[in-house]
Amino acid sequence: MREFGYQRADDVTGAVALLDADPDARYLGGGTNLVDLMKTGVERPARLVDIRRLPLDRIEQTDDGGLRIGATVTNSDLAAHPEIRRRYPALTQAVLAGASGQLRNMATVGGNLLQRTRCGYFADVTKPCNKREPGSGCPAVEGEHRNHAVLGATEHCVAVHPSDMGVALTAFDAVVSYETAEGSGEVPLADFYLPVGDTPHRETALPPGALITGVTLPAAPVAARSRYRKVRERASYAFAIGSIAAALDVRDGVVRDVRLAFGAVASRPWRARSAERALLGAPADAEHFAAAAEAELAAARPLPDNAYKVTLMRNLVVAVLTELAEEAAR
């Protein structure tokens, strides 16, 4: 591990100023991803700026009935918050599915959104990786790619984003707020992650040195009837091979509102807008749920060893939406 400096920030302005003065520095929240990458040599910051004491650890009601979640709120506190559990249950379920209790006690909301891919080639500095070293190639295309992307990938990168939390936040139109030396800004989570294209090393739309200060969830009555389902290769403490965040409003057997986002199938949480459009106004039954899934997955371009994900995601859409529809009918 490279030797590094350490400095604790006293306020948001000071934290941003420290990174503005040192582009080779990194913000340190819970450190559950960054420190691991430092140990393997993937990340080599010259300085860590500790932001855990900044006043960004609250969950508050917004004027329009939504919720604002501070960037240093821990995953445990987020999952346990009564308003999150009541109004956005899929978000609680996603967080609880994401890691062990010890990690959730340390990991932060802002850090969760910025965690890096778990692709083995990215994590191994002896191997080429366009995300880690632009222009070096993507060995996963011809190599081990069983758990990699089937949507939105290119020959330059087929890695997936590992966040469970991000999938639920994407389904509910979350907006990310940040601070830079030039002032404040915000970006919808749907636009937060950049398409892979030929620049997979450029992962987010954040300006250089930006500090995430919070995430806002707009009011969404449909989210109160929502679910997160995660499929993984072992029962616990494993990253998804496919996941879905879904919310459904059914009246008189017809879909009046629906939210769908997929995880572990793309370089970012994947908002399933084609499926949503296909479902609005349609009967809430398995046949139409399957057709909506097909509409979304028509864009899938699987590799030889991960084509199973297309079938997996189709089945997840049908299963989860059917459960939600049956609950609405009770």
Side-chain angles (χ1 to χ4, degrees), residues 216-276:
T216 301
L217 282 167
V222 68
R225 189 180 298 279
S226 63
R227 184 160 298 165
Y228 183 76
R229 181 71 52 79
K230 177 177 181 177
V231 179
R232 42 194 161 187
E233 292 181 327
R234 60 179 186 267
S236 65
Y237 196 31
F239 294 99
I241 58 174
S243 66
I244 180 173
L248 188 67
D249 178 17
V250 177
R251 302 176 202 171
D252 300 322
V254 175
V255 176
R256 300 302 181 188
D257 197 2
V258 60
R259 307 292 175 84
L260 289 171
F262 300 164
V265 294
S267 64
R268 62 190 190 275
W270 186 271
R271 182 68 179 270
R273 296 194 184 278
S274 294
E276 291 176 350

Side-chain angles (χ1 to χ4, degrees), residues 75-120:
N75 289 11
S76 291
D77 287 345
L78 178 66
H81 194 278
E83 288 301 298
I84 296 293
R85 295 175 65 184
R86 181 176 69 88
R87 296 161 60 181
Y88 305 91
L91 179 53
T92 287
Q93 294 163 12
V95 174
L96 293 176
S100 68
Q102 294 94 326
L103 286 174
R104 291 196 298 269
N105 288 341
M106 289 296 296
T108 62
V109 168
N112 185 288
L113 296 179
L114 292 175
Q115 63 183 300
R116 311 294 299 278
T117 181
R118 263 56 179 192
C119 174

Side-chain angles (χ1 to χ4, degrees), residues 43-155:
E43 290 277 3
R44 295 174 55 81
R47 178 190 301 183
L48 295 181
V49 178
D50 191 334
I51 60 171
R52 287 302 290 260
R53 293 192 179 181
L54 301 184
L56 303 173
D57 60 349
R58 291 184 289 275
I59 299 176
E60 302 169 314
Q61 183 100 3
T62 62
D63 292 340
D64 62 356
L67 292 174
R68 177 177 168 79
I69 306 163
T72 62
V73 169
T74 66
N75 289 11
S76 291
D77 287 345
L78 178 66
H81 194 278
E83 288 301 298
I84 296 293
R85 295 175 65 184
R86 181 176 69 88
R87 296 161 60 181
Y88 305 91
L91 179 53
T92 287
Q93 294 163 12
V95 174
L96 293 176
S100 68
Q102 294 94 326
L103 286 174
R104 291 196 298 269
N105 288 341
M106 289 296 296
T108 62
V109 168
N112 185 288
L113 296 179
L114 292 175
Q115 63 183 300
R116 311 294 299 278
T117 181
R118 263 56 179 192
C119 174
Y121 297 104
F122 170 79
D124 185 348
V125 295
T126 68
K127 300 291 195 299
C129 171
N130 285 325
K131 189 177 285 291
R132 192 185 65 248
E133 186 179 345
S136 61
C138 178
V141 173
E142 301 292 336
E144 173 55 48
H145 55 248
R146 174 175 168 77
N147 294 335
H148 284 54
V150 296
L151 289 166
T154 71
E155 69 274 17

